[in-house]
Amino acid sequence: MTALSAPRAMPSRLLRALLDRWLVLVVLVAAWEAAARSAGDVYFPPPSTIAERMRRLWFSGPASHLFLTGEATGNILPSLGRMAVALAISAAAGVALGMALGRSPRAHAYLNPVFEFARSIPPPTLVPLLMALFTLGTPMQIASIVLSALWPVLINTADGARTVDEQQIQTARVFRLTAAQRLRLVIFPAALPKIFAGLRLSLSLSLILMVFAELLPGTDNGIGFELTDAQSRSDLPTVWAVIVLLGILGYLLNAALTALERRVLAWHFAARRLPG
């Protein structure tokens, strides 16, 4: 390819990439629009109606506020804040406990049955306990997310720390690295792919549990609160708008985490592409 033809090929490659990624979604939305308009069912509004409700509710504010309305700053941002805090606590605790559990066979033998039992308990059954332990509102909501989002990170971290190549450990010992240095320079980097796998699962769980947590007593804002309020008023376009918003947030958050994973684990993906 000549230097002159290379710039001309870039728009076609970009268009092909956009079609590969979004064509199916565009076709499905168009089919939904046509079917909803022909059916005229109040329970299934067309995507154009949902998009207009989303714009009016959350994205019709002044430019000085990034076009966010009071509804957006009063409901979406608090939900994302609670979710971020809960995910950070889950990640920190899960990685720390997972490292200890993965590198100690005795601790794994003693504690793994306890962890398996604890993670099998459905979060809704813990609501009475959470109400007794925490103040109604944000503390209880964050705790309810952490109690479920913790386990994917912990279990994947333990698995990653437990399966580090023993030759790498022996090499670190030959170079007289201390236990802390081996953990920081050998074990933790080797476990990072499994850690990110756990984080992706915890991110999805956190988004789901964020909505559930905002259905608990003491909640006066948030996406889940707005959903239940719309349901109580039979405001179906707003219900659909919240559902679509959650899907968009899930996609964007997962894309951001995937981009971070690719950047942090660039060495890992490069090594996997090497022949042999």
Side-chain angles (χ1 to χ4, degrees), residues 34-254:
R37 287 192 175 276
S38 63
D41 191 336
V42 68
Y43 293 101
F44 296 96
S48 57
T49 301
I50 298 171
E52 173 57 27
R53 180 58 59 89
M54 293 176 69
R55 186 200 67 79
R56 186 173 63 81
L57 276 177
W58 302 311
F59 306 113
S60 58
S64 59
H65 290 75
L66 301 177
F67 301 103
L68 295 177
T69 64
E71 287 281 340
T73 56
N75 288 308
I76 298 176
L77 297 186
S79 290
L80 292 178
R82 286 188 283 262
M83 177 183 167
V85 171
L87 187 61
I89 295 173
S90 300
V95 169
L97 292 173
M99 281 291 174
L101 192 66
R103 296 311 301 171
S104 173
R106 180 171 294 182
H108 181 267
Y110 285 139
L111 297 178
N112 190 59
V114 177
F115 288 153
E116 290 293 334
F117 170 81
R119 80 185 185 96
S120 300
I121 300 174
T125 62
L126 297 174
V127 170
L129 177 62
L130 294 175
M131 292 178 66
L133 294 176
F134 297 96
T135 305
L136 293 178
T138 297
M140 187 173 69
Q141 292 161 359
I142 292 175
S144 66
I145 299 173
V146 170
L147 286 176
S148 290
L150 168 71
W151 305 112
V153 181
L154 190 155
I155 292 171
N156 278 274
T157 301
D159 186 49
R162 191 166 53 250
T163 56
V164 176
D165 189 349
E166 191 60 30
Q167 287 187 348
Q168 294 180 348
I169 303 297
Q170 294 301 330
T171 302
R173 289 196 176 107
V174 168
F175 282 96
R176 299 183 183 278
L177 297 182
T178 64
Q181 289 173 327
R182 291 197 300 270
L183 180 66
R184 179 169 58 89
L185 299 175
V186 178
I187 299 171
F188 181 73
L192 269 177
K194 292 288 184 70
I195 293 174
F196 270 103
L199 284 173
R200 285 197 301 271
L201 291 173
S202 290
L203 178 64
S204 300
L205 273 175
S206 297
L207 186 62
I208 296 169
L209 291 166
M210 175 193 75
V211 178
F212 164 74
E214 290 169 353
L215 307 179
L216 298 177
T219 304
D220 57 3
N221 60 23
I223 299 174
F225 175 80
E226 192 165 12
L227 177 63
T228 54
D229 180 63
Q231 287 176 332
S232 68
R233 294 183 287 103
S234 298
D235 184 357
L236 295 176
T238 298
V239 171
W240 278 99
V242 172
I243 293 171
V244 173
L245 175 67
L246 289 171
I248 293 172
L249 288 176
Y251 175 83
L252 293 177
L253 292 171
N254 184 70

Side-chain angles (χ1 to χ4, degrees), residues 4-27:
L4 183 61
S5 61
R8 295 176 180 175
M10 289 184 63
S12 63
R13 287 202 301 267
L14 179 61
L15 178 61
R16 182 176 299 178
L18 290 174
L19 287 175
D20 290 342
R21 181 177 291 270
W22 298 107
L23 180 60
V24 174
L25 179 62
V26 170
V27 170

